[in-house]
């Protein structure tokens, strides 16, 4: 999205240098995952969606780690060697800020802001207006408070640690998010002092300076309070994860999905879907998942980077990773479909069946207790219970080819490389090491014998 009145180029500065001591973790705070992605990436992606002229990320703690986790970011990295406060952090970005640009300040640990909220804030900015995002909170403690005069005009921001008892009662807080012209920002930043309770250069002091310079401070509030919440500890991280997941679930329902419990469906990536998709409880989607029409997903499934065709049923406790599954299939319960697997239409994969790097053609079935790895399986094949492709000799992997209309008897081992030709039948309990000819019955087991009068061993006294 490009914001409405793009008369001035936009520069976004993301502050991400803080340590995050309260996370009690070696991982830099902004790299803790929300829905499987670093907090900072959420902030970055939202920033990117505003189509700014440039994004600058101010980093400090765990710098190398942060940069490599965000290696995909089209951003400039600005180091803040010592963390002397939010004002000091923005000062580091000054060389990259043009006078006539609008500068939007974001925090790398505030992941849920929407592009709509930010675009509207940026839209408010002009040569004599600074735009500030504020909200009223039931419990404002810990935040900077917005001090207004009797006419409701913003005068300044006071940090909790510097606030008087009366100021602490103000319930309107500074979210930290603001937008202002570069020229003004640079002027005020150069005047910041650190004579406050924390001995820091507070970005918030520019609000008072703006008022003194006759610049209007226009405040806006986000649609939802969750948007401005930051992460300081694991409890807040968990809370924001739930907020985010609920948003995603609501979006799926808006698109027509039936969720048996929107609080028990997690999306760590993107899901697209057709009509009449029904999702039972405790389902997790990761990466890029594409669901067609009339799909039912049972409880406790994990589906990652996969495509599932119309009319397919995924039964409970099934794991699917990087696979393509056709139409009218029945997969699970308790099936595991691993990467590089392509399953055609009307295929049945049943309980305790693992499929890896295999192609299975139309109408084939493997219903129970089976491992199919590195295999090509034709159409109309029946794989008996307990069948295993022995695809690995301890050093290399080999393929098993099973042609159309083959019947593999139960408990067969197929020692790859091996081919079972069209229409062949393999007798139950066989260990197939050589190709089996088309249309014939091949089996390898010994004949059944009965040893008459045989006695079980008895325990020696
Ligand atoms: C800041 C605001 C406060 C506001 C609150 C909202 C100031 C002085 N105070 O307080 O009014 O209510 O955010 O959450 O701005 N950072 C750096 N370098 C630094 C210091 C901070 O990059 O030297 C980054 C942090 O990584 C973080 C953000 O700036 O992403 C905010 O810093 P934090 O220390 O959390 O600010 P607060 O004291 O919470
Ligand atoms: Ca904070």
């Amino acid at each position: 999205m490009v914001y409405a009145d793009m008369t001035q180029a936009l520069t976004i500065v993301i502050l991400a240098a803080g340590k995050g001591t309260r996370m009690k973790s070696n991982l830099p705070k902004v790299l803790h995952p929300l829905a499987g992605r670093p907090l900072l990436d959420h902030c970055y992606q939202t920033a990117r969606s505003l189509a700014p002229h440039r994004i600058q990320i101010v980093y400090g703690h765990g710098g190398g780690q942060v940069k490599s986790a965000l290696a995909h970011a089209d951003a400039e990295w600005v180091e803040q060697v010592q963390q002397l406060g939010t004002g000091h952090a923005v000062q580091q970005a000054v060389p990259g800020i043009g006078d006539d640009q609008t500068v939007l300040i974001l925090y790398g640990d505030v992941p849920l802001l929407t592009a709509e909220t930010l675009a509207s804030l940026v839209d408010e900015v002009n040569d004599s207006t600074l735009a500030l995002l504020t909200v009223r909170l039931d419990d404002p403690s810990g935040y900077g408070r917005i001090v207004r005069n009797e006419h409701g005009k913003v005068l300044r921001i006071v940090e909790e640690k510097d606030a008087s008892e009366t100021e602490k009662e103000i319930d309107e807080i500074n979210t930290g998010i603001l937008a202002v012209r570069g020229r003004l920002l640079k002027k005020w930043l150069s005047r910041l002092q650190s004579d406050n309770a924390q001995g820091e250069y507070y970005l918030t002091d520019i609000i008072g300076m703006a008022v003194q310079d006759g610049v209007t401070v226009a405040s806006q509030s986000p649609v939802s309070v969750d948007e401005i919440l930051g992460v300081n500890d694991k409890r807040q991280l968990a809370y924001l994860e739930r907020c985010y997941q609920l948003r995603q679930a609501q979006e799926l329902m808006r698109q027509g999905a039936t969720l048996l419990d929107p609080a028990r469906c997690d999306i760590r990536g993107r899901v697209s879907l057709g009509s009449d998709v029904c999702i039972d409880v405790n389902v997790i989607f990761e990466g890029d998942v594409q669901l067609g029409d009339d799909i039912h997903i049972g409880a406790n499934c994990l589906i990652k980077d996969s495509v599932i065709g119309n009319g397919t049923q995924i039964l409970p406790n099934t794991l699917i990773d990087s696979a393509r599954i056709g139409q009218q299939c029945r997969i699970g319960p308790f099936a595991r479909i691993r990467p590089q697997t392509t399953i055609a239409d009307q295929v049945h994969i049943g309980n305790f069946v693992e499929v890896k790097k295999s192609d299975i053609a139309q109408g084939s079935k493997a219903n129970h207790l089976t491992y199919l790895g590195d295999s090509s399986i034709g159409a109309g094949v029946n794989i008996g219970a307990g069948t295993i492709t022995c695809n690995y000799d301890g050093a290399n992997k080999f393929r098993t080819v099973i042609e159309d209309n083959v019947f593999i008897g139960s408990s067969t081992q197929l020692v790859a490389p091996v081919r079972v030709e069209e229409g062949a039948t393999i007798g139950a309990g066989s260990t197939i090491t050589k190709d089996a000819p088309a249309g014939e019955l091949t089996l390898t087991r010994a004949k059944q014998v009965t040893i008459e009068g045989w006695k079980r061993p008895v325990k020696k006294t």
Side-chain angles (χ1 to χ4, degrees):
M1 180 185 43
V2 179
Y3 66 100
D5 178 25
M6 191 147 163
T7 49
Q8 310 282 327
L10 177 65
T11 284
I12 299 180
V13 178
I14 301 176
L15 304 189
K19 188 167 179 205
T21 317
R22 281 178 283 163
M23 297 298 277
K24 304 255 165 67
S25 167
N26 290 324
L27 191 66
K29 175 161 80 173
V30 290
L31 293 189
H32 280 267
L34 183 95
R37 266 192 302 136
L39 290 170
L40 179 56
D41 192 50
H42 286 266
C43 181
Y44 167 76
Q45 297 296 349
T46 309
R48 198 26 72 218
S49 73
L50 294 170
H53 173 66
R54 64 147 58 100
I55 295 176
Q56 299 194 67
I57 304 177
V58 180
Y59 71 101
H61 274 281
Q65 240 179 311
V66 174
K67 277 167 104 171
S68 58
L70 270 281
H72 56 278
D74 177 13
E76 284 145 49
W77 293 89
V78 182
E79 190 172 11
Q80 186 192 21
V81 180
Q82 271 187 295
Q83 282 78 55
L84 303 179
T86 49
H88 180 257
V90 179
Q91 278 169 354
Q92 311 310 304
V94 160
I97 295 174
D99 282 349
D100 294 321
Q101 289 175 341
T102 295
V103 184
L104 172 65
I105 313 284
L106 301 179
Y107 290 180
D109 55 4
V110 177
L112 301 188
L113 273 166
T114 62
E116 291 71 21
T117 293
L118 296 176
S120 144
L121 195 71
V122 165
D123 256 356
E124 187 92 38
V125 174
N126 60 43
D127 288 335
S128 58
T129 307
L130 175 154
L132 183 66
L133 196 66
T134 75
V135 295
R136 292 188 183 279
L137 294 181
D138 293 338
D139 176 13
S141 56
Y143 289 95
R145 309 294 209 284
I146 308 296
V147 182
R148 295 179 184 261
N149 69 10
E150 65 277 21
H151 307 296
K153 189 178 151 221
V154 175
L155 295 181
R156 60 193 175 92
I157 295 175
V158 60
E159 289 305 295
E160 161 125 340
K161 292 199 172 104
D162 302 286
S164 67
E165 289 309 311
T166 1
E167 285 167 338
K168 277 186 192 154
E169 276 164 26
I170 300 171
D171 67 351
E172 187 186 11
I173 63 101
N174 171 35
T175 65
I177 311 305
L178 60 86
V180 62
R181 283 283 193 264
R183 181 183 296 106
L184 296 171
L185 178 66
K186 290 194 281 188
K187 180 171 79 174
W188 299 327
L189 285 176
S190 70
R191 291 198 214 141
L192 287 182
Q193 305 282 322
S194 59
D195 52 348
N196 50 50
Q198 303 186 79
E200 287 183 3
Y201 295 92
Y202 289 166
L203 178 64
T204 44
D205 285 349
I206 72 168
I207 303 301
M209 294 178 189
V211 172
Q212 269 167 18
D213 284 356
V215 170
T216 306
V217 177
S219 65
Q220 290 196 0
S221 289
V223 180
S224 149
V225 171
D226 298 335
E227 285 191 50
I228 61 94
L229 297 179
V231 174
N232 295 304
D233 59 29
K234 295 286 171 68
R235 274 178 44 237
Q236 291 167 337
L237 181 64
Y239 179 76
L240 290 193
E241 177 80 31
R242 287 304 101 209
C243 292
Y244 182 84
Q245 292 303 345
L246 209 52
R247 260 196 210 174
Q248 307 261 105
Q250 279 161 355
E251 179 53 32
L252 280 196
M253 292 187 288
R254 241 192 309 278
Q255 290 171 28
T258 300
L259 300 187
L260 272 86
D261 183 355
R264 283 185 288 168
C265 172
D266 280 24
I267 301 176
R268 303 170 188 158
R270 251 191 305 274
V271 176
S272 69
L273 45 83
S275 63
D276 297 293
V277 169
C278 179
I279 301 168
D280 209 331
V281 300
N282 294 330
V283 173
I284 301 174
F285 297 102
E286 290 184 358
D288 194 358
V289 174
Q290 294 172 43
L291 307 175
D293 300 332
D294 300 305
I295 288 174
H296 190 279
I297 299 177
N300 308 318
C301 290
L302 192 153
I303 302 176
K304 178 178 177 188
D305 291 317
S306 294
V307 179
I308 298 176
N310 298 345
T312 286
Q313 266 186 292
I314 310 293
L315 298 170
N317 300 296
T318 291
L319 312 180
I320 301 175
D321 181 0
S322 307
R324 297 185 71 87
I325 295 175
Q327 306 189 5
Q328 266 96 44
C329 292
R330 205 175 66 213
I331 312 291
F334 296 99
R336 181 173 181 207
I337 313 296
R338 292 173 52 198
Q340 297 180 57
T341 294
T342 304
I343 291 175
D345 299 342
Q346 286 129 25
V347 168
H348 291 182
I349 302 291
N351 38 228
F352 310 108
V353 174
E354 175 179 350
V355 185
K356 187 213 82 172
K357 211 173 182 178
S358 292
D359 300 322
I360 303 180
Q362 187 168 355
S364 290
K365 293 175 186 165
N367 275 325
H368 331 266
L369 298 161
T370 285
Y371 175 56
L372 301 172
D374 303 291
S375 62
S376 300
I377 296 166
V381 169
N382 197 309
I383 308 276
T387 296
I388 290 170
T389 53
C390 309
N391 57 331
Y392 186 48
D393 65 4
N396 298 295
K397 301 265 169 76
F398 301 95
R399 283 197 83 75
T400 298
V401 178
I402 298 172
E403 296 182 355
D404 293 348
N405 302 315
V406 161
F407 182 97
I408 308 278
S410 294
S411 198
T412 292
Q413 295 96 54
L414 298 152
V415 182
V418 74
R419 175 182 291 266
V420 181
E421 291 177 358
E422 188 168 348
T425 300
I426 304 296
S430 294
T431 301
I432 301 296
T433 55
K434 292 184 296 231
D435 292 358
E440 306 289 354
L441 169 66
T442 299
L443 45 83
T444 67
R445 58 175 189 256
K447 276 214 175 81
Q448 179 168 331
V449 292
T450 300
I451 316 250
E452 267 176 51
W454 182 83
K455 293 273 185 305
R456 286 186 188 172
V458 288
K459 193 162 183 161
K460 290 188 186 117
T461 47

